[in-house]
Amino acid sequence: MEQAKRDIIAQLRKDILLMEGFKPATEGATSAFGLGPIEAAFPNGVFPAGSVHEVLNLEAEHTGATGGFIAGLLSVLMRSGGPCLWISTCRKLFPPALKAFGVEPERIIFIDIDREKDVLWAVEEALKYKGLAAVVAELRELSFTQSRRLQLAVEESRVTGFILRHDPLKISPTACVARWQVKPLPSETEDDLPGVGYPRWQVELLKVRNGNPGTWTVEWSEEGFNVLPAAEAITEEQILKFG
Amino acid sequence: MARRFAAIWFSHLTTDWMVIRKPELKAVPFVFALPDRGRMSVTAVSKVAAAEGIALGMGAADAKAICTGLQVFDDKPERAAKLLKGLGEWCIRYSPIVATHLPDGLILDITGCTHLWGTEHDYLKDLVSRLKGKGYETRAAIADTIGAAWGVSHFGRQQITIIDTSAHISALLPLPPAALRLEEPVLQRLKKLGFYQIKDFIKISRSALRRRFGEAFLLRLSQAMGQEEEVIKPLQIAVPFQERLPCLEPIRTKKGIEIAIRRLLEALCQRLCKEGKGLRTAKLTGYRMDGHIEQVEIGTNKAANQIEHLFKLFELKIASITPALGIELFVLEAPEVEDSEPVQEALWAGSPGLDDQELTELLDRLAGKLGAKSIHRYLPDKHFWPERSVKHETSLQAKTAISWQTSKPRPVQLLPRPEPVFVAAPIPDYPPIVFRYKDKVHAIKKTDGPERIEREWWMDEGEHRDYYIVEDEDGQRFWLFRLGHYSGDKTNDWFLHGFFA
């Protein structure tokens, strides 16, 4: 009896996960994003494409790092051929840079909007359209209800949404599946050669529904994401602190 | 098909307009006057004043002497033309080709229009009675030629005259020569010679008439008789793709407007589909009861002829229509029409890319609400100068032969204009070791560069830029440049231009 109940609950949980947009890992599928341990932090060990992600960007200096990380994710999402919409009120993104992250800049359509209110409308309209690979929106404010609406829109269309938020004072609970924060880290060059190395970030998964939050060090090279082992990351930090 | 024209003569155009504006003047004799050769001469006479015996061209003082209670108002020379233009635009509901005929008439090309009102007589009666309802006294005629219609409307016995097909010459015969729209000296000469009716001189040979009255006289005569084509200049050029929806009852509600738009779109899109075309812009005009005209416009990114999609675009605009007392006529026109590409049904569902119909529809909706300027797409351009290295592209289909530059790293964020920073550089031509941006000091740990980008001298003047990629102690990566060569006396020639990932 107990066993049967537990089975039912486990099955229901799985069903709920399915409904929320998590695909069960298929056997033998390699992690498409190359984000190994980070993807493992999500339920079923799969990056939840087809849902809304929230990316915090609290300091102006971190915008570049956030943009780079999202561009890296976009390169995988856009492989299927769909275009991407980038909706914002004050965009500084420089399209040629995206090429270095494996994204074809001409397949990104930028929507520049004057009024914050219209951004939400535009995002919702865009998220409802199935043919898009992803929608990136720079938003100042997002209430729980609004985020719920966006989540409902993507549950139908399976589009991945990224909401970039700049204002630290307006962070409130949302219905997004994950909340990220990306900060730049000093790069390392091979064999201590002079110059600047590959872009390196500290990627934090602050909140994730049914998953395990955590912090990782991620580097972007020509091959894609490269999640550095946690031990190394710690030693680096120690080196920074003490030496 | 034989062409038919209607001429409408406003016998008291400006004075009727004055009475509409000031109803208390209805029973009062009044005239408009303008200074002419040092005296005030009458330029328009009201109906009441005309009955008192006041005529055009009379001195205002003489007129006052004839009629004691006469009021004299200052005229404006262009008033009649303005009024006629407004009335002509209103008349477009009767025919798409309406022209003004100064000083006091309208000419309508009514070929193929009258059957909508029943007979030609019903058509003209409706037109005249509605003008009468507005307050304008008119006389109107329909004939095969503009000249005949004009002449009959001015000199016919009845208010409404219909001249049957090819009967216009016999209708002209009993009219005075003035019915041919002739110049005053020619009329004088005709009168002197005893030609009081057109039939008196219509049989005379053309060469004799030309010798005495000139070429202009013959032109008017043959135009009235239909031997010479007369061209009128329509007030509005008719759009080939246009649908009209007159309403029995004036429409005032949102729902009503929606139904009207849907019906018009159904008719228009059916035609567009049949001809393999799609519209790029569409204009909905609502003629209101009170004479105002409400207009909304939509635009699409690609030739479109889908009813649902176009309706959605109009739906966003309905809020800006003010029906007031009600809209009695809707006109939907497509001024910009292009060949639409045939849509191929997809055999399997995949990500359709930029050519997808639904994407265009989404962008149309966004453009409809936010303005077409808000949508951007970028293609690489043949410039190394960072600000010019991308080209703004409006069309979704445009492709480019140039590929994106990847040999040199470019920042993820580019400032719209470089911002000056204060730096400390150890040796000239070396990257800085510390710089200050927005009151924050960044100590530089790693650097790459320089990458020199020369200015395109044929486009603008100035010095070259030496770009450095620098990384500070927190790991933030910046794109700095020094403008021009190092020189000892200048201090602030370093700029921040972007942020790397």
Side-chain angles (χ1 to χ4, degrees):
Chain A
M1 191 65 192
E2 279 292 299
Q3 184 58 38
K5 259 187 188 169
R6 231 174 281 151
D7 282 350
I8 290 171
I9 288 170
Q11 186 57 43
L12 283 174
R13 276 205 181 122
K14 262 188 192 169
D15 288 350
I16 290 171
L17 278 181
L18 264 176
M19 284 177 203
E20 281 176 345
F22 295 99
K23 278 182 240 157
T26 44
E27 273 177 49
T30 50
S31 61
F33 286 86
L35 282 169
I38 303 185
E39 282 176 63
F42 288 103
N44 288 336
V46 174
F47 181 87
S51 47
V52 180
H53 297 251
E54 191 185 7
V55 186
L56 299 189
N57 182 30
L58 304 183
E59 280 175 61
E61 286 93 342
H62 298 168
T63 323
T66 315
F69 182 68
I70 289 182
L73 294 176
L74 284 183
S75 71
V76 179
L77 290 168
M78 286 171 72
R79 242 176 244 162
S80 58
C84 167
L85 247 61
W86 194 295
I87 304 168
S88 75
T89 48
C90 49
R91 176 178 53 87
K92 292 201 192 84
L93 191 84
F94 189 46
L98 297 174
K99 191 73 192 170
F101 290 96
V103 178
E104 287 165 38
E106 67 263 33
R107 272 172 49 206
I108 297 192
I109 299 161
F110 295 96
I111 316 272
D112 294 325
I113 300 175
D114 299 332
R115 279 177 28 196
E116 185 83 10
K117 227 178 170 182
D118 293 331
V119 178
L120 262 174
W121 174 82
V123 175
E124 202 184 324
E125 285 289 309
L127 285 175
K128 278 182 196 159
Y129 166 54
K130 289 190 178 66
L132 288 177
V135 175
V136 186
E138 295 177 33
L139 264 182
R140 194 170 299 264
E141 234 175 305
L142 184 72
S143 73
F144 184 80
T145 335
Q146 288 160 345
S147 65
R148 184 87 196 109
R149 281 183 71 113
L150 300 184
Q151 182 64 35
L152 284 174
V154 295
E155 272 169 25
E156 187 66 31
S157 64
R158 319 287 310 157
V159 175
T160 316
F162 294 99
I163 310 288
L164 272 73
R165 304 186 60 191
H166 298 295
D167 202 335
L169 297 173
K170 301 226 167 106
I171 304 298
S172 54
T174 56
C176 303
V177 287
R179 178 178 282 175
W180 302 80
Q181 188 167 10
V182 184
K183 289 174 185 167
L185 281 182
S187 61
E188 297 259 314
T189 49
E190 231 170 287
D191 304 331
D192 288 331
L193 286 166
V196 180
Y198 290 127
R200 187 176 281 202
W201 311 298
Q202 180 187 317
V203 177
E204 281 174 78
L205 201 48
L206 300 170
K207 277 184 185 176
V208 48
R209 225 192 300 155
N210 305 315
N212 310 312
T215 306
W216 297 271
T217 304
V218 178
E219 201 174 65
W220 176 269
S221 61
E222 287 93 346
E223 289 91 49
F225 285 117
N226 181 17
V227 183
L228 301 176
E232 198 187 315
I234 288 166
T235 49
E236 263 171 35
E237 267 174 33
Q238 280 172 340
I239 290 164
L240 270 176
K241 256 182 208 161
F242 307 112
Chain B
M1 189 184 206
R3 301 189 70 180
R4 300 287 278 167
F5 294 94
I8 304 164
W9 176 41
F10 295 82
S11 43
H12 303 279
L13 178 67
T14 46
T15 53
D16 279 346
W17 167 78
M18 195 68 177
V19 171
I20 294 167
R21 277 187 63 199
K22 292 182 181 170
E24 67 270 17
L25 288 173
K26 196 167 168 45
V28 183
F30 69 95
V31 294
F32 282 112
L34 264 183
D36 177 35
R37 296 194 202 109
R39 60 163 198 171
M40 293 296 281
S41 74
V42 172
T43 52
V45 188
S46 79
K47 209 179 166 190
V48 185
E52 299 271 352
I54 294 163
L56 287 180
M58 211 178 244
D62 297 343
K64 270 184 181 166
I66 294 170
C67 172
T68 42
L70 186 77
Q71 295 200 31
V72 180
F73 298 101
D74 284 338
D75 200 359
K76 274 189 199 144
E78 70 277 18
R79 181 179 285 151
K82 231 189 236 172
L83 277 173
L84 274 181
K85 189 164 178 271
L87 285 164
E89 275 167 2
W90 178 84
C91 280
I92 286 176
R93 68 187 63 193
Y94 287 95
S95 161
I97 303 168
V98 178
T100 56
H101 194 281
L102 289 173
D104 51 10
L106 288 175
I107 306 287
L108 281 70
D109 185 344
I110 57 161
T111 317
C113 295
T114 49
H115 70 276
L116 296 169
W117 278 263
T119 62
E120 283 182 343
H121 190 264
D122 294 338
Y123 174 87
L124 208 55
K125 202 175 159 192
D126 185 57
L127 177 49
V128 168
S129 62
R130 287 189 93 169
L131 283 170
K132 173 99 183 155
K134 277 174 176 277
Y136 290 103
E137 198 66 42
T138 54
R139 298 172 72 82
I142 291 180
D144 278 3
T145 62
I146 295 169
W150 189 90
V152 174
S153 70
H154 278 66
F155 296 94
R157 282 166 204 277
Q158 287 143 0
Q159 198 186 10
I160 300 170
T161 322
I162 312 290
I163 308 295
D164 290 336
T165 314
S166 59
H168 55 281
I169 296 178
S170 53
L172 277 173
L173 294 179
L175 298 182
L180 289 176
R181 296 176 287 172
L182 299 174
E183 304 279 319
E184 192 54 40
V186 179
L187 286 178
Q188 294 285 348
R189 208 173 304 154
L190 283 165
K191 203 175 166 188
K192 233 180 253 174
L193 293 170
F195 294 129
Y196 299 114
Q197 284 181 320
I198 293 176
K199 66 179 171 204
D200 296 340
F201 55 81
I202 204 159
K203 294 268 167 58
I204 299 173
S205 75
R206 290 176 70 85
S207 58
L209 286 175
R210 184 183 290 116
R211 206 161 51 239
R212 287 186 172 75
F213 307 111
E215 191 62 53
F217 168 78
L218 275 183
L219 178 72
R220 284 301 192 196
L221 187 64
S222 38
Q223 276 178 349
M225 287 164 65
Q227 293 155 347
E228 193 95 22
E229 184 85 8
E230 185 172 354
V231 188
I232 53 173
K233 198 176 149 210
L235 282 176
Q236 279 176 18
I237 308 292
V239 181
F241 288 93
Q242 191 195 47
E243 290 296 332
R244 303 156 70 87
L245 182 72
C247 308
L248 280 176
E249 292 274 321
I251 302 291
R252 305 183 51 181
T253 58
K254 189 183 172 207
K255 187 80 203 159
I257 296 174
E258 279 176 12
I259 294 170
I261 293 174
R262 203 170 269 280
R263 282 222 198 138
L264 287 169
L265 280 174
E266 273 164 16
L268 187 71
C269 290
Q270 205 179 7
R271 233 188 101 194
L272 287 169
C273 275
K274 217 186 272 173
E275 295 178 31
K277 291 189 186 298
L279 59 86
R280 288 295 304 273
T281 58
K283 194 161 78 178
L284 177 78
T285 317
Y287 291 84
R288 255 163 50 176
M289 287 280 284
D290 53 0
H292 278 271
I293 291 173
E294 290 285 319
Q295 262 185 349
V296 288
E297 277 186 62
I298 57 154
T300 61
N301 287 302
K302 210 166 129 184
N305 52 20
Q306 296 84 8
I307 299 169
E308 265 318 301
H309 168 50
L310 294 170
F311 179 72
K312 269 188 194 156
L313 296 182
F314 271 117
E315 211 176 9
L316 296 169
K317 302 274 184 177
I318 289 178
S320 63
I321 301 174
T322 324
L325 287 171
I327 295 170
E328 48 182 355
L329 173 70
F330 287 95
V331 177
L332 178 70
E333 48 194 50
E336 248 182 272
V337 172
E338 284 177 5
D339 288 338
S340 74
E341 294 159 31
V343 183
Q344 190 173 354
E345 292 283 329
L347 277 180
W348 55 87
S351 276
L354 286 172
D355 304 325
D356 184 44
Q357 183 59 40
E358 273 185 72
L359 177 67
T360 345
E361 292 183 6
L362 169 72
L363 292 179
D364 285 350
R365 276 206 301 285
L366 293 177
K369 177 141 175 167
L370 312 165
K373 273 187 202 148
S374 61
I375 296 177
H376 304 279
R377 204 168 73 94
Y378 296 97
L379 290 178
D381 208 351
K382 277 183 185 162
H383 295 283
F384 281 104
W385 199 252
E387 285 94 330
R388 284 189 217 113
S389 60
V390 289
K391 179 168 67 179
H392 181 227
E393 184 55 62
T394 43
S395 123
L396 280 179
Q397 275 73 42
K399 293 201 169 57
T400 170
I402 322 160
S403 59
W404 293 92
Q405 287 285 329
T406 47
S407 53
K408 298 280 182 194
R410 287 287 174 263
V412 172
Q413 299 258 311
L414 189 80
L415 295 170
R417 59 181 56 220
E419 290 177 25
V421 289
F422 296 95
V423 304
I427 332 170
D429 287 344
Y430 236 62
I433 48 166
V434 67
F435 77 94
R436 201 166 78 204
Y437 171 62
K438 284 193 178 164
D439 289 337
K440 202 170 162 194
V441 178
H442 299 269
I444 292 165
K445 292 288 170 204
K446 297 192 184 81
T447 56
D448 243 341
E451 177 193 354
R452 175 164 295 182
I453 302 183
E454 287 286 350
R455 212 175 265 272
E456 289 151 312
W457 53 262
W458 59 95
M459 301 184 93
D460 60 357
E461 286 184 346
E463 296 192 89
H464 64 259
R465 293 171 175 178
D466 283 335
Y467 278 97
Y468 291 93
I469 303 166
V470 302
E471 184 182 283
D472 73 356
E473 74 270 32
D474 297 330
Q476 290 152 20
R477 287 163 280 271
F478 303 90
W479 210 28
L480 297 178
F481 70 84
R482 185 186 52 230
L483 195 66
H485 295 287
Y486 171 82
S487 70
D489 49 328
K490 270 196 289 176
T491 46
N492 186 21
D493 51 1
W494 282 85
F495 294 87
L496 175 71
H497 202 182
F499 302 91
F500 278 94

